[in-house]
Amino acid sequence: MCTVASFKNPHQVIGLIDHKARKWGPFLLLALAVAYYSAYFNCGLNLGGEGGTNAVIAMRLMEGQRPIADTFLGYNVLWFWPIAWLFEVSGPDYLAMRFYFFGICTLTSLLAWATVWRVTRSGLLALATGVLLILIPGMLFRNYMGLMPVGNQLAFVSAFILPVSSSKKRIFLIAVSGAVLGLTYLIRIEVGLLMSVIWVGLLVVHTLQPNVRWRASFRESLLGGLLGIAAFVGVHAPFAAHAHLKGYAGVFYEQYAAFIGLFHWEMQKEIKAMSLDNSGSPVTGLEVSGTLPVMPEVADGRRTRPAIKAIFSEKKSRDRYFAAAIYLPAFLAFLMVIGGTLAVFAGWFRKNGGPWQDGWTVLVMVGCALTLFPQYFSFRPDTPHLSEFMIPFIPALAVASALAFRRAPRGPWWVVALASTFLVMSAIQIWIHIGHAWPKESAGTIAAKKHGPAVFTALNGVSVKLKSANAEALSKMQDVIVKNSSTADWVVCYPYSPTINFMTDRRSYLWDLYTDNTMAGQEFDSYHIGLLKLKEPAVVVIDHRAINSSEESRFPNWAPNLYAYLKENFQLAGEFLGNEVFVRKPQQSH
């Protein structure tokens, strides 16, 4: 029986707590997730959020529209099919979709817990990592983004780095990692492409382990790799069969090659954007063949990163936090790559499997996280995309910190200095992440509870808490749209408000539900004016927000002819929360 005296040693107390955290960690995380997400699962409604896109496309799939061929996805089919399957059971239901994505947040946290625990054997560190991922889960309705790299972190580290009991188990785990990679492709192709580089590299690295017979490790890589490819093909098989059956196999396969072209285009755009002068010279886009739209010459109107000096020069603390939150992960990732590489070389030259294993663990963890780095750093440097990147980056920080803390004291002074710098900067990173993202609803946090106390109810299971003024405005907008259209009519929203279609149960003829000033191109106005004449939508909604945080990204400023046509040929029925609702003039009705 334990006595008070037995707990005088702090190490014993910490060890006991760590043991409890290791044993009960998953259950504690599950309980926290249920309690935390239940507190705000029905708070807020973003008209321009991806929830509307997910729901509208899922309903199109339920109606028999073919992915990619009949409706633009942007992502791959497994992003939308599960929602369609959910709606088959629940009916199109907004809250059911929110429950689904909160479930993904919970699963991601549990996978991160498993990864950190398996590598570090620290129940407390694994639990802290999981708790942080639950509290700041990333932008709602895009939580696949955190799930993919965290799932690959666990699969890759388990398959290639951590010790296993037998060669057969190693081969099996490598095959499983191939299946996880295949699922990643089916959700987001560009993330899968970057993960593939890591996976192929690990197959090679596995054959180079110190103190391991080359023939045995080569056999594991060869057989595991072949089975992994078979598993990759296997998870694709049902979706490929559906594509052949429904007649969209060509575009289904073409999108894989098209995303390679998209990578090239994005790299060229980033290089040109970095070389722009202050006058804002135009960036010329490159054509991308296949299933992606052609990118014509447009002015580069993307969101821009704050200057590094903003970390110290901005007057408002939130702006300093934001600038630090943008740049600090890049610095820490650089330190992890340096430290991991040094450990790998130390293990190789000393024929010591310990540093070799630790080094590759760090490199794999940070590599998987960096597959999301371009999303926030280059494409959209904002809180929602940054919060997505932090989901896999936090487990990478946890693992690297634990390994540095254990290994560094036994190394030379410069290793101790490097590790100490990393540990201090990691603590600052977590502090900044909490300070920056915790107060923001766009990071998926409980900050959404600021909505209320009014309840806004609409079609398709929309029943959410909003501020009274917002609920009243949305109710009026819904009434105008429903009154002036039927379920057989078209309702078109520019530049991006698909939630309006979902909450009013009105269809849109737009193939791609999203556009902005960086994507529109020179023919946008004339093309969409032609669609308005051909389709004769009952209602057109214009959102006047600065979609890319600049005046030029407000719809009337980059689509002036289309906006002028609407004002001349449609009747303004009202403006609600910055959204103008135009309806067909009586003489145009049939």
Side-chain angles (χ1 to χ4, degrees):
M1 181 176 178
C2 294
T3 64
V4 176
S6 65
F7 291 106
K8 287 183 178 180
N9 187 339
H11 293 289
Q12 288 181 320
V13 177
I14 295 174
L16 178 62
I17 296 174
D18 190 78
H19 174 74
K20 295 295 184 183
R22 198 162 56 237
K23 181 178 180 181
W24 296 102
F27 303 100
L28 293 173
L29 291 174
L30 183 60
L32 174 64
V34 171
Y36 183 67
Y37 297 140
S38 295
Y40 66 101
F41 77 95
N42 62 340
C43 296
L45 183 71
N46 186 357
L47 299 183
E50 296 223 12
T53 300
N54 295 341
V56 169
I57 292 178
M59 292 177 67
R60 288 178 174 181
L61 298 180
M62 293 169 65
E63 294 167 359
Q65 291 192 33
R66 299 170 301 167
I68 311 167
D70 299 329
T71 182
F72 179 76
L73 298 186
Y75 315 138
N76 210 349
V77 294
L78 202 53
W79 188 292
F80 302 100
W81 275 121
I83 303 171
W85 300 332
L86 173 67
F87 285 175
E88 291 285 358
V89 177
S90 67
D93 191 294
Y94 180 74
L95 293 184
M97 183 173 61
R98 290 187 72 129
F99 276 121
Y100 169 72
F101 279 98
F102 279 131
I104 290 177
C105 298
T106 306
L107 175 60
T108 302
S109 172
L110 292 171
L111 293 175
W113 176 91
T115 305
V116 175
W117 177 78
R118 291 206 68 201
V119 173
T120 68
R121 294 295 169 175
S122 171
L124 281 174
L125 185 61
L127 181 61
T129 301
V131 167
L132 193 54
L133 265 59
I134 286 174
L135 296 181
I136 309 176
M139 185 178 3
L140 193 60
F141 302 121
R142 283 175 52 95
N143 305 102
Y144 295 114
M145 297 302 293
L147 176 65
M148 289 183 292
V150 169
N152 280 279
Q153 284 174 334
L154 177 58
F156 290 176
V157 168
S158 299
F160 294 99
I161 310 299
L162 297 179
V164 295
S165 58
S166 68
S167 180
K168 290 182 179 179
K169 186 173 181 180
R170 175 76 68 192
I171 293 170
F172 171 76
L173 289 174
I174 294 175
V176 171
S177 72
V180 174
L181 182 62
L183 293 173
T184 302
Y185 268 89
L186 286 168
I187 298 172
R188 287 289 293 255
I189 294 173
E190 71 273 31
V191 177
L193 285 169
L194 294 173
M195 289 292 181
S196 295
V197 176
I198 300 174
W199 191 75
V200 172
L202 286 172
L203 286 173
V204 176
V205 165
H206 183 67
T207 67
L208 304 177
Q209 301 174 79
N211 300 326
V212 176
R213 292 177 58 191
W214 180 84
R215 182 175 296 179
S217 58
F218 177 78
R219 175 179 175 274
E220 290 174 351
S221 283
L222 179 61
L223 294 180
L226 291 174
L227 288 175
I229 293 171
F232 180 97
V233 173
V235 298
H236 274 75
F239 303 96
H242 184 269
H244 282 279
L245 180 65
K246 298 298 182 180
Y248 65 97
V251 291
F252 177 76
Y253 296 129
E254 285 172 10
Q255 64 175 337
Y256 288 81
F259 268 98
I260 298 176
L262 179 61
F263 268 132
H264 179 247
W265 177 75
E266 284 289 351
M267 289 176 61
Q268 291 293 100
K269 188 170 69 169
E270 177 67 13
I271 292 171
K272 293 193 176 190
M274 293 174 66
S275 65
L276 285 176
D277 57 28
N278 292 329
S279 63
S281 304
V283 173
T284 303
L286 302 177
E287 290 192 357
V288 180
S289 60
T291 60
L292 298 174
V294 173
M295 303 297 184
E297 182 172 320
V298 295
D300 189 281
R302 299 173 300 165
R303 292 175 182 261
T304 56
R305 291 186 296 272
I308 297 181
K309 65 179 181 180
I311 299 173
F312 309 101
S313 63
E314 288 292 338
K315 294 181 179 180
K316 295 181 179 179
S317 60
R318 66 181 183 183
D319 294 330
R320 295 196 298 272
Y321 266 92
F322 177 65
I326 290 290
Y327 288 103
L328 187 53
F331 176 68
L332 283 168
F334 174 74
L335 290 182
M336 280 191 273
V337 170
I338 294 296
T341 302
L342 290 175
V344 165
F345 279 111
W348 173 259
F349 286 114
R350 297 175 184 173
K351 300 302 180 182
N352 188 337
W356 170 275
Q357 176 181 310
D358 289 352
W360 278 114
T361 298
V362 171
L363 291 175
V364 169
M365 293 291 291
V366 71
C368 289
L370 288 175
T371 61
L372 300 190
F373 183 78
Q375 295 262 345
Y376 94 85
F377 196 79
S378 298
F379 178 52
R380 292 189 74 85
D382 56 18
T383 298
H385 292 81
L386 174 59
S387 67
E388 291 176 347
F389 168 75
M390 291 302 297
I391 297 300
F393 194 64
I394 288 170
L397 279 179
V399 165
S401 297
L403 297 179
F405 183 78
R406 293 175 183 175
R407 292 277 182 186
R410 289 174 279 177
W413 69 266
W414 59 269
V415 172
V416 175
L418 179 65
S420 300
T421 300
F422 175 75
L423 289 171
V424 171
M425 297 305 293
S426 295
I428 294 173
Q429 168 70 83
I430 297 301
W431 176 265
I432 288 174
H433 177 56
I434 294 172
H436 165 68
W438 173 263
K440 296 188 177 181
E441 179 185 358
S442 59
T445 74
I446 201 170
K449 273 190 73 68
K450 65 185 179 183
H451 296 287
V455 175
F456 169 66
T457 303
L459 300 176
N460 288 328
V462 173
S463 180
V464 294
K465 292 182 179 180
L466 298 173
K467 294 179 180 179
S468 298
N470 292 347
E472 181 180 359
L474 287 182
S475 294
K476 291 179 178 178
M477 181 171 68
Q478 181 196 25
D479 290 342
V480 168
I481 294 173
V482 172
K483 179 181 178 181
N484 288 277
S485 64
S486 69
T487 55
D489 288 321
W490 302 112
V491 170
V492 184
C493 303
Y494 294 113
Y496 181 57
S497 300
T499 304
I500 293 176
N501 292 96
F502 187 64
M503 75 182 199
T504 59
D505 197 26
R506 297 298 187 264
R507 57 189 187 139
S508 172
Y509 57 69
L510 295 177
W511 182 67
D512 185 354
L513 297 170
Y514 179 87
T515 191
D516 63 20
N517 55 306
T518 70
M519 300 173 62
Q522 297 176 347
E523 304 300 322
F524 180 85
D525 284 28
S526 59
Y527 175 74
H528 283 272
I529 289 173
L531 281 179
L532 290 174
K533 294 177 180 178
L534 176 66
K535 298 291 189 178
E536 296 185 338
V539 179
V540 179
V541 182
I542 301 298
D543 182 0
H544 284 268
R545 66 190 164 118
I547 196 167
N548 284 317
S549 299
S550 63
E551 284 302 311
E552 67 179 309
S553 67
R554 296 188 190 276
F555 184 80
N557 295 335
W558 56 268
N561 296 331
L562 176 55
Y563 186 60
Y565 179 87
L566 280 172
K567 291 197 293 184
E568 181 179 349
N569 294 276
F570 284 72
Q571 177 178 319
L572 179 63
E575 182 173 353
F576 313 95
L577 301 179
N579 294 273
E580 287 184 327
V581 179
F582 292 90
V583 300
R584 277 205 306 255
K585 291 182 178 180
Q587 62 268 27
Q588 291 181 295
S589 301
H590 298 296

